[in-house]
Amino acid sequence: MSGIRERTEELEYEILAPEAAKSREAERKRPDDLCPFRTSYQRDRDRILHSKSFRRLKHKTQVYIMSGDHYRTRMTHSLEVAQISRTIARGLRLNEDLVEAIGLGHDVGHTPFGHSGEAVMDELTGHFAHNEQSLRVVEYLERGGEGLNLTFAVKDGIVNHTGKTKPSTLEGRIVHIADRIAYLCHDYDDSLRAGLLHPGDLPQKVTEVLGESHSRMITGFVSDLIINSADLKDIALSDKMQDVMTTFRQFMFENIYHSEALKNEREQAGFVLCQLYKYFFKHFEKLPKEFVEREERWGKTQVVVDYVAGLTDSYAVQLFQEIFVPPVGFVSR
């Protein structure tokens, strides 16, 4: 059956706002055969979803390194960002498939142990940013070095989901804000579960507007963003809600992200990653063969960064134990 993709592409012009990114106009770095059923952005979403780097996110920390079935991981965070982004995009008649692809892919380059790992990699190398590494993963590292050949709009949204540079599409700008909505609200929810925060701890400015439940907070942010961005001149919260988000974010950095309560975890994670980086830089030949073979193209430093940054939390700890911890207590057979 032919014409399914074409019909979907045509519907975008009928249903979506004129300012929305249209799948038919999407471009890639390398020419690619079109799928008979899926649009270009749907195909990008699927390529990310089926990638190894996305699967690894289920074992990468969001904030809490401690084990627990209900704490967020990088994967669940990415799913929440994609869901929030789709809700906003639908409310504004923008391209839901594009925001979903960006949302699912925005953190595929994140290090083990959350931002603690990112800070260590930055200190060791002089510059490391997870958004840039995410772009590198989808552009060069996936599929044995071929990359996923994603559309320019998706790659632009991934690399600009954080930082001062705005994404070029309105859809990318949705993800930029949805990422903050997701992590602030769900990190607060996880902090209550961990006992590091308690009901009533949030600043009054936040609770007066958003309440104290995870669900109500997300609804408040999303509603404000849709209403305030209805003219599609830009994607932005109202001044009042932006002030609330800034206060909320400052509170979370002071009381959770940079808190004394999590200092020991951050230092332990940083130590593990630092030692692994130094070990593989010194013993480059110990890397998996496919990484050793990349030295000529990328150089030793970049290859070691790519390997260490791609590790999951659990595998990083396992490697550390295998390399640095004597097998005391093990009986040889």
Side-chain angles (χ1 to χ4, degrees):
M1 184 177 182
S2 61
I4 294 178
R5 187 200 73 253
E6 292 88 344
R7 184 178 63 195
T8 302
E9 290 173 341
E10 192 61 37
L11 281 171
E12 288 184 351
Y13 289 94
E14 297 177 17
I15 297 173
L16 299 185
E19 296 86 351
K22 308 300 192 299
S23 302
R24 185 180 292 169
E25 300 166 22
E27 296 181 349
R28 302 182 189 277
K29 187 176 182 179
R30 300 189 304 273
D32 209 341
D33 293 335
L34 295 174
C35 175
F37 310 111
R38 297 168 297 165
T39 68
S40 293
Y41 297 139
Q42 290 172 340
R43 205 171 189 188
D44 281 2
R45 173 203 61 204
D46 295 349
R47 288 178 177 180
I48 292 167
L49 193 64
H50 291 285
S51 68
K52 289 191 294 185
S53 54
F54 183 79
R55 290 196 296 276
R56 287 197 297 266
L57 295 181
K58 67 181 177 180
H59 295 301
K60 290 196 177 191
T61 292
Q62 176 64 22
V63 172
Y64 293 97
I65 299 172
M66 67 186 81
S67 61
D69 291 341
H70 299 114
Y71 294 112
R72 268 73 172 190
T73 64
R74 283 286 155 193
M75 178 176 282
T76 58
H77 164 68
S78 297
L79 292 171
E80 291 187 31
V81 171
Q83 178 272 315
I84 291 170
S85 297
R86 285 196 70 122
T87 298
I88 297 166
R90 178 166 294 194
L92 294 173
R93 293 194 301 130
L94 296 175
N95 198 308
E96 292 183 54
D97 296 321
L98 176 53
V99 298
E100 185 175 26
I102 297 170
L104 292 175
H106 79 285
D107 268 356
V108 292
H110 221 300
T111 61
F113 310 122
H115 289 286
S116 301
E118 182 175 18
V120 168
M121 295 302 292
D122 185 63
E123 183 178 344
L124 289 168
T125 63
H127 177 74
F128 181 91
H130 76 272
N131 56 315
E132 295 173 10
Q133 188 69 12
S134 293
L135 177 62
R136 178 170 172 77
V137 166
V138 299
E139 184 79 339
Y140 301 114
L141 303 184
E142 275 289 343
R143 292 184 176 175
E146 293 183 6
L148 300 179
N149 194 29
L150 302 179
T151 59
F152 290 119
V154 172
K155 293 189 293 186
D156 170 78
I158 287 174
V159 75
N160 293 312
H161 81 268
T162 187
K164 296 181 180 179
T165 306
K166 281 188 175 184
S168 60
T169 63
L170 293 176
E171 286 82 359
R173 297 178 191 184
I174 285 175
V175 178
H176 181 90
I177 300 177
D179 180 38
R180 287 194 173 187
I181 294 173
Y183 75 66
L184 286 174
C185 296
H186 66 47
D187 290 349
Y188 168 72
D189 188 45
D190 280 353
S191 299
L192 291 176
R193 184 180 300 278
L196 294 183
L197 290 179
H198 302 89
D201 285 346
L202 283 175
Q204 186 176 356
K205 180 188 290 187
V206 176
T207 56
E208 283 181 348
V209 176
L210 297 175
E212 294 187 79
S213 76
H214 168 250
S215 175
R216 183 178 167 188
M217 287 174 172
I218 292 177
T219 299
F221 277 128
V222 169
S223 300
D224 181 272
L225 188 61
I226 292 173
I227 293 170
N228 195 62
S229 307
D231 60 8
L232 295 181
K233 293 180 180 178
D234 198 3
I235 305 298
L237 294 167
S238 65
D239 290 342
K240 178 182 178 180
M241 191 62 81
Q242 183 58 57
D243 185 46
V244 169
M245 175 177 276
T246 299
T247 301
F248 193 178
R249 192 164 180 265
Q250 289 173 343
F251 172 85
M252 291 297 291
F253 269 92
E254 291 171 6
N255 294 275
I256 299 299
Y257 305 140
H258 294 162
S259 68
E260 282 294 315
L262 296 178
K263 182 180 179 181
N264 189 52
E265 284 185 11
R266 293 195 301 268
E267 290 178 347
Q268 289 174 321
F271 181 77
V272 168
L273 222 55
C274 181
Q275 296 307 309
L276 289 176
Y277 176 87
K278 291 179 179 179
Y279 175 83
F280 285 114
F281 193 84
K282 184 177 180 180
H283 304 281
F284 189 75
E285 74 283 356
K286 297 290 188 180
L287 287 171
K289 182 181 177 182
E290 63 181 290
F291 284 86
V292 174
E293 292 173 346
R294 297 174 186 174
E295 181 183 11
E296 184 176 350
R297 182 180 184 187
W298 300 114
K300 181 185 292 187
T301 299
Q302 184 62 65
V303 173
V304 174
V305 168
D306 290 340
Y307 180 71
V308 175
L311 298 173
T312 62
D313 295 19
S314 54
Y315 191 54
V317 172
Q318 180 183 327
L319 272 178
F320 181 86
Q321 291 175 331
E322 291 175 357
I323 294 169
F324 298 108
V325 179
V328 176
F330 292 94
V331 179
S332 60
R333 298 180 183 273

